[in-house]
Amino acid sequence: MSNVSLRWRMLVETSLLVALVAGGSLTFGVIGTILAAILAIISVVFLSKRLHRQFTELTEDVIRTTSIDRSHRLDPTGPAELARLARAVNRLVDRVADDVSEESAERVRLALILDSMRDGVVVVDDQGVIESANPASVELLSSLGAVQPGMQLSSLTSHPDVIKVVTKSIVSNKTVTAEIELFENQCTIMAMSTPFPRPDSDLTRALLLLTDLTDVRQLDTTRREFVSNASHELRTPLAGIRASAETLQRGAIGDPEGREQFLRMIREDVDRMDQLIAEMLELSRLESGESPLDLKLIDAHSLVETAIKQFSAIAIDSELKLEENLSEDLPTVLVDTKRIDHVFTNLISNAVKWSVPGDTITVKGWVDDGTVWFSVADTGLGIEPEHLPHIFERFFKTDAARSQPGTGLGLAIARHIVDAHGGLMSVTSSVGEGSEFAFTVTT
Ligand code: ADP
């Protein structure tokens, strides 16, 4: 039996005993009974006051445990019933605390995932009010200010198509997707809105997923342009071969001089096609990383001297001065010799092509802040400033170059080779003064 019930029983039994003793005496019969009753009432009042105080203390303790100090636990001492109650409350509080911390860990995990996603995720209710928006969505839609839950979707984007996708999916209760061009942000996005119900009501809200398609579309455009440029470049020599063959067929074949001339033209067009195909294949190999670099340590001086040697006869023929200007402290460099030689060949042959007799071409090499730089500078015709940003693009040729032989792929290949070595390539030029193409390599 518990302490409280025992005490109650002792009090009542004592009171009854007093009543019996008192009741046994004829003289004090009535008085004794009254005294016993008063004693019993006093005991009950005393005990109930004590119990009331203990319950009040326990209640305050429970309030403190559940609301003020969550780490506080009830003291499981005192009367047995109260101690049991305290232990039960402590167990309940522990369980709730575990559930809450599990739930908040899950929330943090979800928030981290949403924050690190490259795709934009926005939850919008049927009134167009944002319930949540991750940073990628703000960046993709290029929202001006910080987006807070409770704001209208129109504060995140004013683009009507984005808002239309969300509205349509909520009204039709179906997933709606659309490819949208955001001109002001210069990007293309795929917006997919999926309706889903609120757990506590019949109202529908939408999960808007935004994917940046700019790179994919850019790649598509580049591919289309490449195919169209390559076809165009191949068609030119092909047309030349056809014209020469037809002229020979029409009778020129009987004229030894004419035959020689048209056969030479056919040969030149075939060479042009051959070079174009070889350069396209090289570019494709470089872009796909199919043929890895064969890196070897080589003396920078000998690298430049090998390149210069190949052009010394051409320079004399074209009445150009071909010089080298290499600093003494040039170290050995870690490069794919064949490929870096290809870069020098392209730059020097361009310099020869765009210089006039009397001009100077200088191949330089120097070290700047631990980085090895090479450059090919000419005092030739120079490049118009509006062409400079496009100079490394595939098939790019200046207006003056269109009538000249050349595929327009040389500089694109050179830059890819330098990129693959982890280097940088740049150009400076001034019309009438000349150009300088520079690149870095690792040591
Ligand atoms: P191409 O096969 O036509 O030479 P490149 O990619 O090597 O192709 O060069 C692209 C264009 O850049 C050339 O057609 C030419 O218009 C311009 N260019 C390149 N190098 C020079 C230079 N040193 N001086 C002037 N223009 C140049």
Side-chain angles (χ1 to χ4, degrees), residues 82-262:
L82 294 185
R84 245 178 88 202
L85 183 62
R87 276 196 298 273
V89 170
N90 283 348
R91 270 199 305 277
L92 185 69
V93 170
D94 283 347
R95 205 174 308 151
V96 170
D98 283 353
D99 288 352
V100 167
S101 80
E102 233 171 71
E103 200 176 304
S104 63
E106 187 61 23
R107 266 172 205 268
V108 170
R109 210 168 64 86
L110 272 173
L112 272 176
I113 291 172
L114 282 173
D115 283 0
S116 54
M117 272 178 79
R118 283 192 63 211
D119 289 342
V121 180
V122 188
V123 178
V124 191
D125 75 8
D126 59 335
Q127 302 300 308
V129 174
I130 296 171
E131 288 185 16
S132 70
N134 73 342
S137 67
V138 179
E139 205 177 306
L140 271 175
L141 297 170
S142 197
S143 174
L144 293 175
V147 173
Q148 303 286 349
M151 283 172 132
Q152 280 288 324
L153 180 60
S154 51
S155 61
L156 184 58
T157 175
S158 57
H159 202 293
D161 288 353
V162 178
I163 297 169
K164 217 187 280 171
V165 165
V166 174
T167 319
K168 235 171 141 182
S169 81
I170 290 180
V171 171
S172 65
N173 204 23
K174 281 187 183 133
T175 297
V176 176
T177 48
E179 194 173 313
I180 300 167
E181 193 122 355
L182 303 172
F183 290 107
E184 65 275 24
N185 310 356
Q186 295 182 334
C187 73
T188 309
I189 56 162
M190 171 67 82
M192 182 167 87
S193 177
T194 308
F196 69 110
R198 276 166 176 276
D200 48 354
S201 78
D202 303 339
L203 295 174
T204 305
R205 49 190 174 163
L207 179 77
L208 176 65
L209 190 68
L210 305 162
T211 311
D212 190 353
L213 295 182
T214 315
D215 288 351
V216 181
R217 290 289 162 266
Q218 184 62 48
L219 208 66
D220 271 358
T221 313
T222 312
R223 231 175 249 151
R224 265 201 304 276
E225 279 174 7
F226 184 81
V227 171
S228 135
N229 284 327
S231 319
H232 176 78
E233 292 301 322
L234 282 170
R235 209 173 272 153
T236 313
L238 263 179
I241 293 170
R242 179 184 286 143
S244 300
E246 281 171 2
T247 314
L248 285 170
Q249 256 181 344
R250 278 202 298 270
I253 200 153
D255 166 24
E257 216 174 286
R259 184 176 60 213
E260 203 45 47
Q261 184 196 342
F262 287 110

Side-chain angles (χ1 to χ4, degrees), residues 11-22:
L11 263 168
V12 173
E13 279 171 2
T14 313
S15 306
L16 284 173
L17 201 65
V18 172
L20 277 174
V21 172

Side-chain angles (χ1 to χ4, degrees), residues 378-389:
D378 64 64
T379 55
L381 303 175
I383 304 163
E384 281 88 1
E386 68 268 27
H387 290 145
L388 285 176

Side-chain angles (χ1 to χ4, degrees), residues 346 350 353-354 378 383 391 396-398 401 406-408 410-411 435:
N346 172 262
N350 277 348
K353 211 192 293 181
W354 300 103
D378 64 64
I383 304 163
I391 209 80
F396 179 81
K397 282 176 156 190
T398 57
T407 59
L411 285 176
S435 313

Side-chain angles (χ1 to χ4, degrees), residues 294-300 302-303 331-337 442-443:
D294 180 17
L295 295 173
K296 287 199 175 84
L297 276 172
I298 180 161
D299 173 46
S302 71
L303 199 65
T332 48
V333 286
L334 186 66
V335 294
D336 182 327
T337 317
T442 41
T443 48

